[in-house]
Amino acid sequence: MTSAIVQPDVVSVRGQTDAARRPVLEARNVNVSRSNALVIEDASFTIYQGDYVGIVGPNGGGKTTLLMALLGVLPRDSGEVRLFGEPLERFRDWHLVAYVSQDAISFDADFPLSVRELVALGMANRGNLTRRLTGADWRVVDDMLGEVGMADLADDRIGHLSGGQKQRMFVAKALVRDPKILFLDEPVAGVDAVTQEKFYKMLNDLNIARGITICTVSHDLAAVFCRMSKVMCVNRLVNVSDVRDIDEPGEFLKKAYGEHFHFVFHRHECGGVFGSDRPVAP
Amino acid sequence: MNKKQKLFLVAVAVACSVILAGLTYGALTGESEGEAGTTIVATFYPLAYVAESIGGEKVSVHALIPPNTETHTWAPSTADILQAQDADILLYNGAGLEPWFEEDILPALDVGQRIVVDTTEGLTLLPGGESESYDPHTWLSPYMLRMQAEKVLSALVESDPANATYYSERWTSLDEALASLDASYNDTLSSSTKSAVFVSHAAYGYLADRYGFTQYGIIGLSADEEPSTSTIATLVEQMTESDTYVVFVDPVYRDDYASTLESSIEEQSGQEVTVLHLYLLVGSMDDLDLLGQMEQNLENLAVGLGASVA
Amino acid sequence: MCSAVTDLSLLDIPRLLGFQFFQYALLGGVIAAFACAWVGLFLILRKEAMLGDGVAHTSFGGIALGLLLGISPILVALVVSILAVIGIHIMRTKGLARSDSAIAVMLATGFSAGLIIISLAGGFSVELFSYLFGSILTIDMSDLVIVTVLGLVTLGFLGVFYKEMLSITFDEGAAKLSGIPVETLAISFDVLVATTIVLSIKVVGIVLVVALLVLPGLSALQLNLSFKGTAAAAVCFGTVSMVLGIILSAVYDVATSGVIVFMAAGIFGVVAVYKRLG
């Protein structure tokens, strides 16, 4: 499997208290409109280094819009956003930020790229415009492929992969520059349950091993409450909470999904596909 | 690669080899048998004719431009360059007739032992039209051709001194033939009653200059197009002025073209018009070789100029 | 061109190789093949294959203008082609026309302007013919210098901005997010296309240059290789077509551009069948 098997007694970054860690993403009274309709209203929250955040909420609730606004792709009406303490407008260290879009996997299946080559494209950025990739760069690429469990498929064409494999590949691509925060928008839509499970576990391992902050939009509520450290509920209003602090996930989620929402969650069922699994809290 | 693919690739490779081998074999067996003696490559027919006349059995002559092909737009191929590379003597007209020879072929060769002859070098040349410095059509005049041929003789003798006597003997016949033609032209055309010659391709300047007439090239006549009304009109004007109703065309023109031309001019001028041939001497035609064509040209010119045959 | 009485055969190839004009032809041809294979592959992947044809036809206007004014037709064609690609780019980005429509407009304008100029200048000539259909076998030193310089510029650009171009071609949006200057590189690439086409006019002529751009890449794409593998295959196919084409056309005295492109098409056919059998 991956090379990130961590001993249970190692305290991961996310195990520390919020106060002990630096904030990587801060939102203060953020409002975002699209086509004159208010989509995100007065959002305020802080995400800390090492958090593994599941962004949940009903369709059309504004999850993607919020993501886009946080990344500066969409303009916001008002409010402040800070990345790594720096106001979004003045932020320059974009190599610290990685993003895998919703439609990343719907690329032209005939495009002539091997998995390795695609992941290597993740290295291309404003900072190294004319520099050739060195042997060291390619080793990083190969290591990354190993970490996402795609080492065997390195020389396959990208069009020959399954949906789940494609997403792993894009995660690897996003991570080759060693960003400190990774955003994913519905990464495993349309993929079977087992593959989804494995995917979120992979993200989990990456989060623990590398201390990278991960914010992923997800419809897999069980995965969120089993594996992730924070949950962000988005339905025009945004609520962020530490997963451990939520005793009744069903009730918590009603704020976003509405009164009639029914979600029964049993923590002991988090073993899932993988026998001896680590509990969420270290 | 599976079995079918392997077989396919092998089949393709075999097919290509077979085709290429076949072409190579065909080319090899098609080559002329044992090139005799001195190899001469001339640019076009008149020089090839002269070379053959003088060299006889002791030379093999090849003309780059095929017979009766338009000289001005012709361009050499790689095979021609290789041919020239193999020759002992290279003959060209010069006077601007074959720019491709001087620009493309000569520079590509390594001249070395080869003798390259500019057959009009040092001869007095007439000025040319707008785009040329000289009139290149020297070979149509027996007087000029004789001087060009003399250079060919010198080259042959230089290249193959062992057979000098042979060449000189053969040269004498050619020399006499051309000299006699020159005399005939002179005698016959001295009795001309007219002085204008209307011709499709203004190639007879040297004849005009030596034997005392004026040639008028019919501007705008090309073998592919119908003569335009304006061309005919201009022609008729000039013909009326010089009271000459004979038009000379290159035999390469189709017969029906000639008769159309004839009737158009008759219509406009109201006179009876005769259309005659004037050969360009760039290949044998109508069973006439170069000398034969020169004779025929004289006969036709005599008619056009109202001269009595001597 | 008329062939000589004595035919050449393949056995004459060693002799041909001794001639400077032939060496120039091979060198210029190979450089053009290299540049076209690379640029063409990117063009296909960017779904802009017809841009090549459009620019080639537009450059005809430049050639005609150059012949009329007595300035190097190739340099005028280069200027005209670069203006054409910039024009197409502006039409696209300002929303005046979609990509293929913009190309059609440019093609029509350039080519018809060329025809008008040519008839004003006195009609078709042998020289014009060589621009329409190529005349690699008569390439001289100055042509070779132009081809080499343009070829090196093209290959240099693609070498230096390799991963950026690949990034942009695969996913322009993601490339933009990475901070890659997409707009600048896209326009530079278009200028490069114009450059490559103009340098190839001498080799295969305006009419067939799109074939030299596109066929090697199309053949290579069928092999389902990595990008490096595909590019290598495209270059290989292009170069083989070029070299074989030049040699065979010289030996058998047939139109050089025709043989080159025919070989490239033949390779495409062989690869296609090969893949179907697998």
Side-chain angles (χ1 to χ4, degrees), chain B residues 124-164:
Chain B
T124 320
L125 298 172
L126 295 174
E130 3 160 288
S131 52
E132 310 161 320
S133 0
Y134 297 112
D135 183 343
H137 304 91
T138 51
W139 68 93
L140 289 142
S141 154
Y143 173 70
M144 297 295 286
L145 186 61
R146 194 189 146 276
M147 293 196 283
Q148 288 180 269
E150 208 165 1
K151 292 206 169 58
V152 176
L153 169 72
S154 316
L156 255 176
V157 167
E158 187 187 328
S159 162
D160 182 18
N163 288 301

Side-chain angles (χ1 to χ4, degrees), chain C residues 156-174:
Chain C
F157 178 87
L158 289 177
V160 162
F161 291 110
Y162 173 74
K163 57 187 193 305
E164 286 74 22
M165 282 304 305
L166 193 47
S167 219
I168 294 173
T169 307
F170 178 69
D171 186 343
E172 202 170 286

Side-chain angles (χ1 to χ4, degrees), chain A residues 34-49:
Chain A
R34 296 198 79 170
S35 314
N36 294 320
L38 193 62
V39 179
I40 295 293
E41 187 179 334
D42 200 32
S44 295
F45 55 84
T46 306
I47 305 295
Y48 296 86
Q49 184 66 43

